[in-house]
Amino acid sequence: MDNRVGEMQVFLRVAEAGSYSEAARRLLMTPSTVSKLIGRIEARLGVRLFERSTRRLSLTSEGRTYQDKSVALLAELDSIERDISRGAATAGGTVRVNTTVAFGVLGLEPLLPAFWKAHPAIVVDISLSDEIIDMYLDRTDVAFRVGPLQASAMVARRIGVIKRRIVASPDYIDRLGKPETVDDLSRHSCLGFNFRRSAPVWPLKESGRIVDRAISGSLLANNAQSLRRMAIAGIGLARLADYHVRDDISAGRLVEVLEGTAGDEEQIHALYHGGPRLPFRVRAFLEFMCPRLTDFMEGRIHDDQQSVQASGGRIVASSARRSSRKAGS
């Protein structure tokens, strides 16, 4: 392996010390190893770098030239590394983020203005999709995933637990009645997802266990936000995440039905490429967002959550991605 930088450092220490033995002592090497390294440099260059005497080594004319050039080159190398390190520490660059539509719109986007105040040099490239993407192929830095995680080299940071509710608009209930039992769902329009691998079922809690109940309805969509809007419009029932509909329930736009039967709870995690060399821009994004998103999941609102539309922040337009996932929100 070519290690010319290391050889230069040894050469400069020999030139400074004036002897192999003293340079070896300072470098914690053996004198023979130091001598061989200097010989290797001289053989490669085809010149002598030192005049050798019984008392001291002195630089030749070529040696002084090599010394000057080596000092300048190593100083430039140090400058390059300092600049890169300083750039990483100031968190410039782009963080590519993928999340579901509802979690992005309601949880993530309101935090972005405050994030940009803390890290104005970071651009957030956010894609909102309820379908699973390939983080490697899409060059995604951070993905917020709902449900069981597949084994991978990704690091998973837990954000919280998603609880679901079955909801309908007051108008829908006035027109078609309120389901009182799980069996009543067969007589109602139940809005669902159209992911390639999603089954037309709702996991519901019955007699202390989770049972997949077949559903049918007027709408299939690839994102929970569309289902929420159609539920508010009175098109049918929707099974959505608590964080997605709690404000609508408080405002009277939606009413929860069949309380306690909405089924399984799923965890949401932030997935990212881990390791000691995690770019500072990604680390800064995670450290800022994760605790605040955990509070959001638990219904605690930060003062720094506000409308993205009023922020003037930089956000790259989101785009839907093609893949598949279990029905959720």
Side-chain angles (χ1 to χ4, degrees):
M1 183 174 62
D2 191 349
N3 185 22
R4 298 187 188 185
V5 170
E7 292 176 354
M8 283 183 180
Q9 292 170 328
V10 171
F11 164 79
L12 291 175
R13 190 55 61 89
V14 172
E16 175 188 307
S19 74
Y20 292 141
S21 59
E22 178 59 21
R25 187 186 66 80
R26 297 178 186 180
L27 293 168
L28 302 179
M29 301 170 69
T30 65
S32 62
T33 298
V34 171
S35 177
K36 288 178 181 178
L37 287 172
I38 298 301
R40 184 185 303 169
I41 300 173
E42 291 179 327
R44 185 172 63 247
L45 298 177
V47 298
R48 290 170 57 195
L49 299 176
F50 292 100
E51 295 287 356
R52 294 161 175 84
S53 68
T54 56
R55 298 186 61 184
R56 184 174 177 83
L57 298 175
S58 58
L59 289 167
T60 64
S61 175
E62 293 81 4
R64 286 191 293 273
T65 299
Y66 190 72
Q67 181 185 40
D68 293 341
K69 298 289 186 182
S70 296
V71 169
L73 182 60
L74 292 175
E76 178 64 18
L77 179 60
D78 286 342
S79 176
I80 290 171
E81 292 188 344
R82 280 196 305 272
D83 288 346
I84 292 175
S85 178
R86 189 180 301 115
T90 55
T94 298
V95 178
R96 295 177 175 84
V97 181
N98 176 272
T99 185
T100 63
V101 177
F103 192 74
V105 170
L106 299 176
L108 186 62
E109 287 184 2
L111 292 169
L112 287 173
F115 173 75
W116 281 316
K117 288 181 181 178
H119 303 284
I122 294 181
V123 174
V124 179
D125 181 339
I126 183 171
S127 294
L128 304 182
S129 172
D130 281 18
E131 302 183 65
I132 289 179
I133 53 94
D134 187 309
M135 292 183 65
Y136 289 103
L137 292 180
D138 284 44
R139 297 183 300 121
T140 299
D141 295 306
V142 180
F144 294 96
R145 291 276 174 82
V146 176
L149 299 177
Q150 297 180 351
S152 74
M154 297 289 180
V155 175
R157 181 166 174 173
R158 185 179 180 275
I159 300 298
V161 174
I162 290 181
K163 301 177 181 179
R164 292 186 171 81
R165 298 186 182 189
I166 299 174
V167 294
S169 71
D171 173 68
Y172 178 90
I173 293 174
D174 288 343
R175 288 185 292 109
L176 298 170
K178 181 178 180 180
E180 300 295 340
T181 69
V182 170
D183 291 334
D184 291 342
L185 291 177
S186 62
R187 298 189 294 273
H188 286 268
S189 174
C190 298
L191 312 182
F193 291 93
N194 62 4
F195 307 124
R196 286 193 294 271
R197 296 181 184 177
S198 65
V201 298
W202 281 356
L204 300 176
K205 187 179 296 183
E206 299 181 44
S207 301
R209 60 193 183 96
I210 301 300
V211 177
D212 285 341
R213 279 278 185 160
I215 60 163
S216 62
S218 303
L219 175 71
L220 297 174
N222 69 349
N223 70 88
Q225 190 74 335
S226 293
L227 301 187
R228 168 187 165 272
R229 286 194 291 262
M230 292 301 99
I232 292 172
I235 303 304
L237 307 177
R239 177 179 175 272
L240 298 169
D242 171 72
Y243 72 81
H244 196 178
V245 296
R246 62 191 174 207
D247 289 345
D248 295 319
I249 293 173
S250 296
R253 291 185 292 269
L254 291 172
V255 175
E256 184 174 8
V257 301
L258 299 175
E259 294 184 29
T261 65
D264 57 336
E265 298 179 353
E266 292 184 306
Q267 295 190 14
I268 182 168
H269 293 85
L271 296 186
Y272 57 96
H273 310 275
R277 297 181 181 176
L278 183 69
F280 186 85
R281 65 183 185 279
V282 178
R283 184 181 299 111
F285 181 85
L286 290 167
E287 293 304 318
F288 184 93
M289 290 295 177
C290 288
R292 290 168 172 80
L293 289 172
T294 295
D295 287 343
F296 162 74
M297 293 294 295
E298 296 175 358
R300 296 191 295 271
I301 304 301
H302 277 266
D303 292 339
D304 53 17
Q305 288 179 302
Q306 56 181 294
S307 172
V308 165
Q309 286 75 16
S311 72
R314 294 180 298 282
I315 180 168
V316 180
S318 63
S319 60
R321 306 299 175 96
R322 294 292 183 265
S323 186
S324 61
R325 61 166 286 157
K326 177 182 175 182
S329 60

